């Protein structure tokens, strides 16, 4: 896993082979961030990374200048890996939380400029996530929510849907 651009550009982190997480490919990550660069200024933004997995997106957001990143991951080993990566960077602008994303969304009172969610594609509750994010007041006015999902999901009928991007088997739906 590597950081694509920003102050930590080119930094690599070796993901343990035992991980169940499917990190967003570098190709897909680089392309979606190229699209986002024209839509949001990450410098000084607050960001939320749901279903953080390896922490790849959280690290990318820090590298691009976010003033605060909240990373939420349930798996103990994945959470520990994210904390280890943050320690290596020496960046204290990320709060790595270990917990259930659905509980977090219900209790969180903070709003974010940018939200990224990359749940397991087979997650039963996956279709609920856009409404949970957008209806719980987590996204600031003018903010962007990026939802990574499998090709079988279609969110284009959602009232806050903006666009869909596909990079190989990786699909992103963008909401405002």
């Amino acid at each position: 896993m590597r950081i694509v651009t920003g102050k930590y550009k080119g930094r690599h982190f070796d993901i343990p082979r035992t991980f169940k997480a499917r990190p967003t490919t570098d190709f897909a990550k680089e392309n979606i961030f190229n699209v986002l660069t024209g839509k949001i200024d990450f410098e000084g933004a607050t960001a939320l990374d749901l279903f953080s997995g390896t922490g790849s997106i959280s690290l990318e957001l820090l590298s691009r200048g976010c003033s605060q990143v909240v990373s939420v991951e349930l798996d103990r080993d994945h959470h520990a890996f994210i904390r280890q990566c943050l320690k290596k960077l020496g960046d204290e602008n990320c709060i790595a939380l270990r917990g259930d994303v659905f509980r977090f969304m219900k209790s969180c009172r903070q709003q974010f400029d940018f939200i990224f969610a990359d749940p397991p594609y087979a997650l039963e509750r996956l279709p609920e996530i856009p409404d949970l994010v957008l209806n719980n007041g987590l996204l600031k006015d003018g903010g962007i929510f990026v939802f990574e999902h499998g090709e079988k999901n279609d969110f284009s009928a959602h009232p806050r849907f903006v666009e869909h991007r596909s990079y190989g088997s990786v699909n992103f739906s963008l909401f405002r």
Side-chain angles (χ1 to χ4, degrees):
M1 169 178 87
R2 76 177 169 89
I3 298 175
V4 176
T5 197
K7 62 184 172 184
Y8 303 125
K9 179 181 180 177
R11 295 285 301 264
H12 285 266
F13 298 91
D14 294 324
I15 301 169
R17 295 183 195 273
T18 58
F19 269 28
K20 297 170 272 186
R22 165 203 35 77
T24 303
T25 65
D26 285 347
F27 174 75
K29 182 171 61 171
E30 187 167 3
N31 280 289
I32 195 63
F33 273 98
N34 285 342
V35 169
L36 293 169
T37 299
K39 298 181 184 302
I40 185 170
D41 181 7
F42 289 106
E43 191 67 40
T46 56
L48 174 62
D49 182 11
L50 300 170
F51 304 96
S52 300
T54 62
S56 172
I57 298 299
S58 292
L59 298 175
E60 192 69 40
L61 291 166
L62 288 171
S63 185
R64 290 170 184 261
C66 285
S67 63
Q68 183 190 48
V69 177
V70 176
S71 170
V72 184
E73 173 56 45
L74 180 62
D75 185 277
R76 178 180 44 91
D77 293 335
H78 296 185
H79 176 257
F81 179 76
I82 293 167
R83 291 179 54 91
Q84 177 186 354
C85 292
L86 292 169
K87 188 174 181 180
K88 284 181 183 175
L89 290 179
D91 197 312
E92 297 181 7
N93 291 329
C94 184
I95 301 167
L97 302 174
R98 181 171 171 246
D100 179 83
V101 166
F102 295 99
R103 284 188 186 149
F104 174 84
M105 286 192 287
K106 274 186 179 177
S107 64
C108 181
R109 298 295 166 247
Q110 183 176 353
Q111 289 191 314
F112 300 89
D113 298 300
F114 179 76
I115 300 174
F116 188 93
D118 179 12
Y121 290 178
L123 184 70
E124 189 175 310
R125 294 184 68 188
L126 185 141
E128 301 172 35
I129 294 171
D131 281 336
L132 291 172
V133 167
L134 298 167
N135 295 340
N136 281 336
L138 298 172
L139 190 64
K140 288 181 183 177
D141 287 341
I144 296 178
F145 168 45
V146 175
F147 188 40
E148 183 176 335
H149 55 82
E151 61 190 354
K152 294 179 182 176
N153 301 99
D154 180 6
F155 297 96
S156 60
H158 193 282
R160 293 182 60 187
F161 174 84
V162 176
E163 68 180 283
H164 174 262
R165 295 289 177 132
S166 178
Y167 305 103
S169 63
V170 181
N171 290 267
F172 298 101
S173 288
L174 283 68
F175 303 83
R176 280 203 178 260

